[in-house]
Amino acid sequence: MLGTIQVYFTKNNIFFVLSCSGTSQVKAVYSSTGLGFKKIRREALQIIQEAAKQIKRHPFKVFILKIRGFSRFRNLLVKEFLKNRLNVIKVIDVTNVAFNGCCAPARRRI
């Protein structure tokens, strides 16, 4: 059975969404605050390990991992998932990147 793990890195939180690839039905949603952690910068390793344990309880055998957001814990996430024996076959980066940049605000005319 093929499952999809979507990981969203925000400034103060990490979200893990587990869904079935065939039906796109969401099976579980975990966040770092929902797992009982407050500071993601100090406890990122423990958050990822706890989420991997929770995801391992579901009946999926193979996973596709989709990562969204900028964080220094992205490489750590993949390593910990493989260390916890989650069979990840594909890692996809789905971060939104602006390709034209921001426009400076117009000057006020009097």
Side-chain angles (χ1 to χ4, degrees), residues 18-56:
L18 178 65
S19 60
C20 181
S21 289
T23 60
S24 297
Q25 197 173 29
V26 175
K27 299 293 183 184
V29 178
Y30 303 107
S31 67
S32 60
T33 54
L35 294 171
F37 298 97
K38 290 188 178 181
K39 304 277 184 184
I40 116 173
R41 293 171 195 230
R42 284 190 222 146
E43 303 170 345
L45 180 63
Q46 290 88 4
I47 292 168
I48 294 169
Q49 287 173 347
E50 185 64 32
K53 288 178 190 173
Q54 296 289 332
I55 290 170
K56 204 170 185 180

Side-chain angles (χ1 to χ4, degrees), residues 27-95:
K27 299 293 183 184
V29 178
Y30 303 107
S31 67
S32 60
T33 54
L35 294 171
F37 298 97
K38 290 188 178 181
K39 304 277 184 184
I40 116 173
R41 293 171 195 230
R42 284 190 222 146
E43 303 170 345
L45 180 63
Q46 290 88 4
I47 292 168
I48 294 169
Q49 287 173 347
E50 185 64 32
K53 288 178 190 173
Q54 296 289 332
I55 290 170
K56 204 170 185 180
R57 294 180 183 172
H58 292 277
F60 296 108
K61 304 286 186 215
V62 182
F63 296 99
I64 296 172
L65 182 62
K66 294 183 179 181
I67 303 173
R68 175 176 288 167
F70 298 105
S71 178
R72 61 181 184 207
F73 307 118
R74 291 161 57 114
N75 294 333
L76 180 70
L77 174 87
V78 176
K79 288 179 186 176
E80 284 300 319
F81 274 13
L82 294 175
K83 201 181 285 184
N84 282 313
R85 296 196 174 126
L86 289 174
N87 192 3
V88 177
I89 58 169
K90 190 188 277 189
V91 179
I92 303 170
D93 183 20
V94 290
T95 305

